[in-house]
Every structure is written in C-alpha cells, then in structure tokens.
Amino acid sequence: MTAASATVALLSAPGPTLADHLATHGPLPPGDAIAVAEEAGLTGRGGGGFPTAVKLRSVAGGRRAPVVVANGSEGEPASAKDAVLLSRAPHLVLDGIALVAGTLGAASAVLAADAARLPELAPHVAERRDRLPVRLHPVAAGYLAGEESALVAALNGRAPVPTSKFPPVRERGVDGRPTLVINVETLARLALLARGDSSAGDRALLTRRLERAGRLWVDVVDAPLSTPLAEWLPLDADVQAVLIGGYAGTWVPARTAARLSLDHSGLAAAGARLGAGVLAALPADRCGLRETARVVHFLAGESAGQCGPCLNGLPRIAAAMDLLARPAPPPPDLLPAVRRWCGLLPGRGACSHPDGTVRLVAGALGVFGPELDRHRAGTCTARVHRAFLPVPRRPR
Ligand SMILES: Cc1cc2nc3c(=O)[nH]c(=O)nc-3n(C[C@H](O)[C@H](O)[C@H](O)COP(=O)(O)O)c2cc1C
Ligand code: SF4
C-alpha cells in the first residue's frame, strides 16, 4: 500500500527522527494547503474549531508576505495532546509548517512551545532543509499565553497577554505582518491530508483522563470522530460526568455522554464541542461543584485583568462557586446572581477567556443541579477529597 492510500494515525511513526518519519509517511508531496484543507473540511484543533481553509485564505494574497506561527503552547492544563504530538511526531508538524508557508509565500515561520520542550525539538528542526527555516520560540507559562494575540504580543517582544481584537493578527501580527496562528495538530493533519490520507481530517487527538481503582490514567489517542465517545472512555457507574473540550468546555452527565459521537453534530446535541480534545471522566466519588470551583479559581487567577469581565466578573463568580461547592445552604440570592453574571459576561472581553469560563460554570450548575440540592441540605457526594482535574500552581 502506498502512503497516499493508507490511513495513518498521527502518532504511528516508531520514533521522532526524520528517518522514522520518512519511513512511515514518505516525503511531503508538493501541494496547496488551502485546497487540501478545503477538500477535507478541516477544522482547527486549537480549541475554536474554525475552518482551516477560511483561516488560510484570510492571510493569503496580501501586500505583505505573512508570518506562520505554529501554536504548540498548550496552555490548557488538562490537555497533553500537543506535547505528545511534538515529542512523537515533530516532523509531521514541521511538514505542515512547510506546506502552509509554501502556499502562503510566508516571510518567516515560528514554532512556539513550552521552553522545556525546545532542546528536544531543536535537532529535528536543524536536520531539515525546508525553504524557510523554522524559528523556535519559548512560550510563557500560563493559560492565556497560547491565545493568538498573546502569542503574537510575545513574539513582538511585549507581555504575553491578549490584546484588542482590532486589528486582528491575521491583518497585523508579528512584525506588523499578516500572521497565521495555527495549532500544531491542525498542521500535522494538513501534512497527512497532503499525502492523500483523507481520513486525517476526520480524526482528533484526545487527551483522556480517568481514574480506575483509585489510580489516575492520562493518555493521548488519535480517534476517528465518527466513533461513539463511549468507545474511548468507560462510562460505567464509577463515572458521573465527563468534561468535554477542556476548561473552556462543558460538563455532560455520563449517561448522556454514553449516547454521543465525537463529531461536531454528535457533541452539539449535548451542547458540547471538542475544543482542545479533552475528555475527563469525573469519578462518581467526587463533587463536581468542588472540582469546577477549583478550576474557576485557576481561570480567574490566570487573566491579566485588563477588561471588566475578567477584572470584576470572574473573581466574583469564583468566590460564589466556593460557597456553592460547600455542603451548606448558600445565601438565597447567590445562585440567581451567578446565573445572571454568566449571562452578562460573554462577548465583553478583548478575548474569549471569560466566555469559556462562564460556559464551564453554567454547564456545571445544570449538570450538578442535584448536587446543589444536596449541598443546600448540608450533604455532599464527595467521598474522596483528592483533586481530579489538574490545576497548576503559579509563582505570583
Ligand atoms: C484563552 C485562550 C487560550 C488559548 N490557548 C491556546 C493554546 O494553548 N494552543 C492553541 O493552539 N490555541 C489556543 N487558543 C486558540 C488560539 O487563539 C488560536 O485560535 C489557535 O491557535 C488557532 O489554531 P487552529 O485554527 O488550528 O485551531 C487559545 C484561545 C483562547 C481564547
Ligand atoms: S478578556 Fe480577560 S483574559 Fe481576555 S484580554 Fe481581557 S482581561 Fe485578558
């Protein structure tokens, strides 16, 4: 079978070297990244699920040659897919950069990733002979550092915080040039699609997180989107709910999740979306409100506090979630107030960080409604108080 007709999983090369890569995938054929993305209906894997062809077109054919920024920041604490991809298949990402840079006639190309990962990536970059050398950029720690305008700000020597949406980075980004910020998984998928693997656009890297017999399991799989979610997570009585997408995602009760497929319309049926590809199965012995409150504190603390919704709204919601997460009656007007704030914040920040946070909170208040009632009556489901979802500690 030729590479062109095979279905090859993203993580299938036996090792990360160029020799491993070429033996598994063969050389990158010449191609037009826009046509490839369009034909496959590829959507971005950085969280927003935006059509890749539309995005590529938005920076093509302008007066100034654009800059391509491969986004391997992975600020989402529950996600490990981009780190695994960069360590297992760096040349698929570099092929994706070469393909996109060639199509756009890019002036320069950058691969942004955690500083700790760069020494491992440098030899892979060095052994290639691409038209455009790829520059490695260390991403600052933080949930927001991978947001596209924050990343562009850092590349321009400024603080790594989101900036105003106007002008957008696709018009004025790195060095004032039109800039394409594109997730590393999206690039790797383009590299497989360009080789004729038409299934590559219909799969996704998923970070699965679950506990079995008190033991935590975290891994990354390359899953077809047409498959049921239940094929990838055991959704038995030991699981009460699944967090789908990540910390800007949605809680779904386990019995609802058991009926969903991973594709866009399947997840949309439960008000969810794939986001950053996180599937976290909350064990039955934990309190979903307490888990959500911890995450919301983290998210509120990550904002640079530049806009009203982050400065005033998120800390207020985080404090309210603390009260709702306790097994005690909350102040009577607290729950309606949180619901009201959740309705007020979306669309009001310079970036969509507040929108993602209130999506998580609003979903939790619905899915863990029975838990809210228990707390009101002074009891709580939690039998185990060990945290399930990861929340990084940052030096302040
Ligand atoms: C708060 C916030 C954090 C983000 N963090 C990341 C990230 O760590 N990695 C990433 O690829 N995209 C992240 N994004 C999305 C980027 O802004 C951008 O849309 C994405 O890199 C585009 O890639 P795609 O079109 O391939 O999805 C984040 C967005 C927001 C609002
Ligand atoms: S909405 Fe929040 S995170 Fe986004 S730029 Fe404004 S203050 Fe920063």
Side-chain angles (χ1 to χ4, degrees):
M1 198 165 6
T2 63
S5 62
T7 294
V8 191
L10 223 53
L11 306 175
S12 60
T17 66
L18 188 54
D20 294 322
H21 168 72
L22 291 174
T24 307
H25 302 291
L28 177 71
D32 181 311
I34 300 177
V36 165
E38 180 101 75
E39 194 184 336
L42 184 66
T43 52
R45 303 308 161 90
F50 196 73
T52 303
V54 175
K55 196 162 178 171
L56 289 167
R57 232 178 246 119
S58 73
V59 292
R63 217 169 26 85
R64 300 187 72 192
V67 174
V68 174
V69 179
N71 193 349
S73 310
E74 199 158 49
E76 166 67 56
S79 176
K81 72 175 181 80
D82 293 341
V84 167
L85 176 64
L86 286 170
S87 95
R88 300 257 304 268
H91 287 287
L92 273 181
V93 176
L94 294 166
D95 276 356
I97 297 174
L99 178 70
V100 165
T103 301
L104 299 176
S108 60
V110 180
L111 170 54
D114 187 277
R117 199 152 297 287
L118 299 191
E120 196 186 303
L121 285 169
H124 300 309
V125 170
E127 70 178 326
R128 295 178 62 102
R129 296 284 167 267
D130 296 322
R131 177 189 70 85
L132 205 57
V134 171
R135 175 161 71 90
L136 292 172
H137 170 79
V139 178
Y143 186 78
L144 297 175
E147 192 275 339
E148 61 182 14
S149 67
L151 193 48
V152 166
L155 284 160
N156 282 333
R158 297 199 304 272
V161 291
T163 55
S164 151
K165 286 171 191 146
F166 302 103
V169 299
R170 66 173 183 275
E171 287 174 17
R172 200 176 157 75
V174 177
D175 299 334
R177 290 180 180 275
T179 298
L180 175 83
V181 179
I182 181 165
N183 176 259
V184 287
E185 182 189 343
T186 315
L187 287 163
R189 294 204 174 277
L190 278 171
L192 284 186
L193 288 166
R195 289 174 162 90
D197 179 357
S198 57
S199 80
D202 300 325
R203 303 169 72 93
L205 287 178
L206 305 176
T207 309
R208 304 187 292 181
R209 186 180 197 86
L210 68 145
E211 269 189 18
R212 292 281 101 168
R215 201 166 148 212
L216 180 68
W217 290 90
V218 181
D219 70 358
V220 173
V221 288
D222 186 7
L225 293 172
S226 58
T227 47
L229 192 156
E231 224 171 82
W232 301 96
L233 274 184
L235 295 173
D236 52 22
D238 290 341
V239 174
Q240 57 169 307
V242 181
L243 178 61
I244 301 178
Y247 291 174
T250 313
W251 286 108
V252 174
R255 58 183 179 286
T256 308
R259 296 195 300 268
L260 302 179
S261 59
L262 288 169
D263 56 6
H264 176 73
S265 58
L267 294 180
R273 52 187 200 170
L274 200 59
V278 170
L279 295 181
L282 183 69
D285 57 13
R286 304 299 162 83
C287 172
L289 292 170
R290 198 177 294 180
E291 286 291 330
T292 306
R294 283 180 42 253
V295 170
V296 173
H297 259 285
F298 162 74
L299 294 171
E302 287 295 287
S303 129
Q306 309 175 100
C307 317
C310 274
L311 195 60
N312 307 313
L314 294 191
R316 222 186 266 181
I317 292 178
M321 284 303 291
D322 273 350
L323 292 174
L324 295 171
R326 285 183 197 157
D333 53 351
L334 189 66
L335 190 54
V338 176
R339 290 207 163 103
R340 199 173 59 250
W341 299 333
C342 284
L344 287 174
L345 264 54
R348 306 269 299 273
C351 79
S352 60
H353 179 49
D355 310 38
T357 308
V358 302
R359 189 179 309 123
L360 180 76
V361 171
L365 296 180
V367 170
F368 303 120
E371 188 70 25
L372 281 171
D373 294 339
R374 262 177 238 122
H375 286 190
R376 221 173 273 126
T379 62
C380 178
T381 289
R383 298 286 162 267
V384 173
H385 298 287
R386 189 175 60 245
F388 173 64
L389 294 172
V391 168
R393 279 176 209 274
R394 305 254 191 251
R396 295 259 169 229

